[in-house]
Structures are given as C-alpha cells and as structure tokens.
Amino acid sequence: MEVKGILKRYIVTPDKHFPYADNKAIKIVCKAIEILKPDGYIDLGDTGEWASVSKWKWKNKAKPNLEYFLPEVIQEVEDVNAGMDIIDESLDKANVKEKHFCQGNHELWLDYFVESYPYLPEYSCANALGIKERGYHFHRAGDLLTIGGMSYYHGHSYGGMHHAAAHCKQYKTNIIYGHHHDIQVYSDKSADGKIMAYSIGCLKDMAREKNEFIGGRPLNWGHAFAIVDYVGRKDFFVNVVEIKHGRAIIQGEVIQS
C-alpha cells in the first residue's frame, strides 16, 4: 500500500514455533500483509519449534539410533514448511520481493543435528526450510540485519525480565528482536542520540504452552508483530501491532481472523 511520505515499509514477525503457532494470530499477520502490501518482510526466527531435534530432547537419556527418531524430524520439517507456506502465499499475493530470515536458537538445533549426522546436510536450517528457494536472504543466528537506522535479529537471553534494556545496552543501537515472547520497549542514549530496543512478542499458541509446559503459571507473553516505516535513509517509525482474541487494528480498522 503506497502511503505518502513513506519510502519503504516492512512487516516483521517474531517467534511462530510451527506447528504450535496460534492460528488466529497467523491469519491476522497474513491479512495485514495483503492489506498493507509492504516492501519487505522480516522473519525473526524460531519459526519452528523443532522439538524433534531439541537440545533438551535426550537430556539425561541415552539417545537411540537415528532410525528411531528420524521420522519425527521429517514430519516436523514438513509441518514447519507448511506453516511458512501460509505466510509466503500472502507475501506472493502482496508481491513482496524482499524477504529476510533471521535464524533463531531453535533453528540452530537443526544445524547441531547435522553436525552430529554430517551425512544428512538436507536437514540444516537453510536446506530444510528451502530458504534460497523461497527467495529469502538468510541471516545466521546472532548476526544483525541492519536496514537504515534499525537492526533486526532473533534475540538472546539477556537481562531476565529487563531484556529490552539489556539489548539496548548490549548492542548500543536501535534493535527489534523476538525470543522472549513478551512485548517490551526501552530507550537509552548514545553519542548519536536516542536508541530504542523493541521486543515484539510472539505468534505461538500460548494456551498450549501454559497448559502443557509451565504448569498453569501466568504468562506475560503477547501476540504481536511490527510494522516499520522508513522515511529517508535512516529515520524509521515502529508500530508494534498487538493481536488480542484474533483481532488487531490496522490503519484505524479492526481486522479479524
């Protein structure tokens, strides 16, 4: 969608954890893509759960022979690709050509799996998800993607409950990240002026997580994604769009899954 004064627009999505994504939240993202027709799309990683190759899966257990759990890996590769296909379909409808994939720590587990079984290179993150074939630029875990005055990456476990402040102080630049699944914004100062860090939530099914993994404890997670508009070469404006009960507000209008 062409908006006066905006030179470039990106939609940025955090942790989806397919096949455990929140379906309503994903539908909202897809609708936003088709409505806004951004110039670019940035996936912040942990796009898949990758439980089949999780570093926790065989902790304190004897790992069985590969043939025992390889079918589970194959199934998860299919499931995560199916999730990406849903978003890619909307990106194609919106004619979005510039696409970035920032590898998350869960995707790193795929690469570690291939390190253990080097005769299975097709299961590395970039290969298993067909990153090149999908037309994405691939950014390895920990590497910053910098566009104008903003940087993007998956995120690290800095700072505990104050992770936005920690990211701001660690990188000393404007940064958008995921990983923590909650929504935080923090500003700090630098020699070049104010800098800000944005944690933009997640798109994972929170009910499943709460009921199955953390014993019913309260969560501060939030479903969200970001719209980043650039005016000029460096100036940017960030809109963190919250999704609540399958609804969000885009350009003053309520959209519903």
Side-chain angles (χ1 to χ4, degrees):
M1 171 177 265
E2 185 175 344
V3 181
K4 188 175 181 180
I6 294 175
L7 300 183
K8 211 162 191 181
R9 167 171 284 170
Y10 290 83
I11 283 182
V12 188
T13 61
D15 310 41
K16 291 160 282 294
H17 292 267
F18 290 118
Y20 305 131
D22 185 273
N23 292 329
K24 289 183 178 180
I26 296 299
K27 287 179 181 178
I28 290 293
V29 168
C30 290
K31 284 189 175 184
I33 290 169
E34 293 175 28
I35 291 169
L36 296 174
K37 295 180 172 55
D39 300 283
Y41 172 73
I42 300 170
D43 185 326
L44 293 180
D46 278 8
T47 303
E49 178 70 16
W50 303 117
S52 62
V53 291
S54 165
K55 66 177 182 178
W56 309 110
K57 186 173 181 65
W58 305 112
K59 187 176 182 181
N60 300 323
K61 301 175 186 176
K63 184 184 288 188
N65 291 334
L66 176 63
E67 59 266 25
Y68 176 83
F69 63 93
L70 185 58
E72 184 181 349
V73 179
I74 294 170
Q75 182 61 58
E76 193 164 16
V77 168
E78 293 177 359
D79 291 343
V80 178
N81 272 283
M84 290 188 70
D85 288 345
I86 294 169
I87 295 175
D88 278 352
E89 183 178 351
S90 290
L91 292 170
D92 288 343
K93 287 180 181 178
N95 197 33
V96 178
K97 301 299 184 184
E98 182 184 346
K99 299 188 289 186
H100 298 272
F101 186 93
C102 300
Q103 185 183 34
N105 58 295
H106 281 234
E107 278 82 37
L108 270 180
W109 298 343
L110 278 168
D111 291 348
Y112 297 154
F113 171 74
V114 171
E115 286 181 13
S116 297
Y117 303 97
Y119 46 86
L120 295 174
E122 63 270 29
Y123 294 105
S124 71
C125 171
N127 290 335
L129 295 180
I131 295 298
K132 182 177 180 181
E133 292 76 12
R134 290 179 182 275
Y136 284 76
H137 300 281
F138 184 70
H139 307 276
R140 296 194 177 278
D143 291 347
L144 296 187
L145 161 64
T146 300
I147 301 172
M150 176 62 75
S151 292
Y152 308 82
Y153 92 127
H154 175 66
H156 278 109
S157 298
Y158 297 130
M161 64 185 296
H162 304 295
H163 52 83
H167 275 77
C168 214
K169 294 177 186 300
Q170 179 75 20
Y171 285 96
K172 297 178 175 57
T173 188
N174 298 297
I175 195 162
I176 292 177
Y177 64 97
H179 186 63
H180 289 265
H181 294 194
D182 63 355
I183 299 169
Q184 285 191 18
V185 179
Y186 181 84
S187 64
D188 206 341
K189 56 187 178 294
S190 75
D192 296 324
K194 182 180 72 173
I195 54 174
M196 298 190 71
Y198 301 81
S199 170
I200 62 168
C202 72
L203 296 166
K204 190 175 185 181
D205 181 352
M206 291 187 284
R208 179 183 183 277
E209 190 79 13
K210 183 175 180 180
N211 293 334
E212 294 187 25
F213 294 106
I214 63 169
R217 296 193 305 275
L219 286 172
N220 69 334
W221 296 0
H223 289 148
F225 64 98
I227 302 168
V228 183
D229 291 321
Y230 286 87
V231 179
R233 296 187 63 184
K234 291 251 180 208
D235 290 341
F236 58 85
F237 297 84
V238 178
N239 177 16
V240 179
V241 181
E242 290 194 71
I243 303 170
K244 298 180 179 180
H245 306 294
R247 293 179 294 183
I249 297 177
I250 301 294
Q251 294 188 331
E253 299 288 335
V254 177
I255 60 172
Q256 194 157 341
S257 59

